[in-house]
Amino acid sequence: AVVSTQSTGTQTSAGCGDWLSHNEVPKTEELGTVERAWLYLQRQVEQDPSWKNLKQVLSQILAAPYPEPLWLLRLCKKEDPAATIRLCTQYSNLELAVYLSIGYIGAISGKETAEYGLQSSLQSNLPPVYLPYAVFDQVLLQLKEKQDRVSLDLYQDLINETNSHIALLSQVTEDYELLHRVKFAPLTMT
């Protein structure tokens, strides 16, 4: 294996895992060099999980033929779910974009709310929760342009989830109006 050093630009064929031993990644029989490199990346990102860092790492992974690590997706969707979906769309990873979109809609509806960094879900007695419809529209537009069977199925899944959310939103709005009408209705004395 060839390793290029950043400071001198020289290349060496010394063990690729050498740099890992200098960066506090344990060398064990169970972990190979690749696994240790992923572990090192995870530790570095978890030390500063700002959106700037998360976006940079996720962009690199989406641009390469690597599967997205679950720990990275967990951090990204908690930090900025809409931007994460937008980034997946930008790199044409529409399957992941739909998965995250459906999960985000579910979180707004009360399922796995904390996983998406939300303080609350859609309820008539709580403040409104924002849902990035424009981001979902971008995903739907790209899916519709593809015209293959998988894309059409993903398109329909996201449409169904969005329609379910709109029905829930209508019900919550009605409940909210009823709650506030009763709460602030003038008392009549007979």
Side-chain angles (χ1 to χ4, degrees):
V2 176
V3 177
S4 178
T5 59
Q6 208 171 20
S7 59
T8 63
T10 61
Q11 294 186 346
T12 177
S13 60
C16 286
D18 288 348
W19 67 273
L20 289 170
S21 63
H22 300 295
N23 289 296
E24 300 175 12
V25 178
K27 188 171 188 174
T28 65
E29 297 291 325
E30 297 85 35
L31 295 177
T33 303
V34 172
E35 290 85 5
R36 290 177 54 224
W38 280 109
L39 182 60
Y40 177 69
L41 178 63
Q42 179 179 357
R43 286 184 181 173
Q44 291 300 105
V45 170
E46 287 176 344
Q47 285 178 5
D48 181 15
S50 65
W51 176 245
K52 179 183 173 188
N53 288 341
L54 293 169
K55 180 181 178 183
Q56 186 175 26
V57 172
L58 185 58
S59 293
Q60 291 297 314
I61 290 172
L62 289 171
Y66 305 119
E68 304 78 21
L70 295 177
W71 59 266
L72 181 60
L73 292 178
R74 179 181 44 80
L75 291 171
C76 288
K77 68 185 184 181
K78 191 169 190 170
E79 184 66 27
D80 194 338
T84 302
I85 295 165
R86 200 176 301 110
L87 197 58
C88 292
T89 305
Q90 179 183 340
Y91 284 95
S92 298
N93 192 332
L94 299 177
E95 190 170 343
L96 181 57
V98 169
Y99 167 78
L100 293 170
S101 298
I102 289 173
Y104 194 30
I105 293 169
I108 297 285
S109 302
K111 304 172 215 154
E112 302 173 349
T113 302
E115 276 192 40
Y116 283 82
L118 301 173
Q119 300 299 318
S120 63
S121 60
L122 184 62
Q123 296 178 28
S124 58
N125 59 343
L126 293 175
V129 182
Y130 167 76
L131 193 62
Y133 290 106
V135 174
F136 301 148
D137 286 343
Q138 291 174 359
V139 175
L140 290 168
L141 181 64
Q142 281 194 23
L143 287 169
K144 199 170 189 178
E145 289 173 353
K146 289 218 172 235
Q147 295 297 319
D148 62 276
R149 187 80 214 136
V150 171
S151 295
L152 293 174
D153 289 345
L154 290 170
Y155 178 89
Q156 196 57 52
D157 290 346
L158 186 52
I159 287 288
N160 291 342
E161 193 68 25
T162 304
N163 288 339
S164 294
H165 175 75
I166 291 171
L168 176 64
L169 181 60
S170 295
Q171 183 61 50
V172 168
T173 301
E174 286 177 25
D175 293 348
Y176 178 83
E177 290 171 353
L178 179 64
L179 178 69
H180 284 79
R181 208 174 316 138
V182 171
K183 194 186 251 185
F184 298 110
L187 295 174
T188 57
M189 301 188 96
T190 55

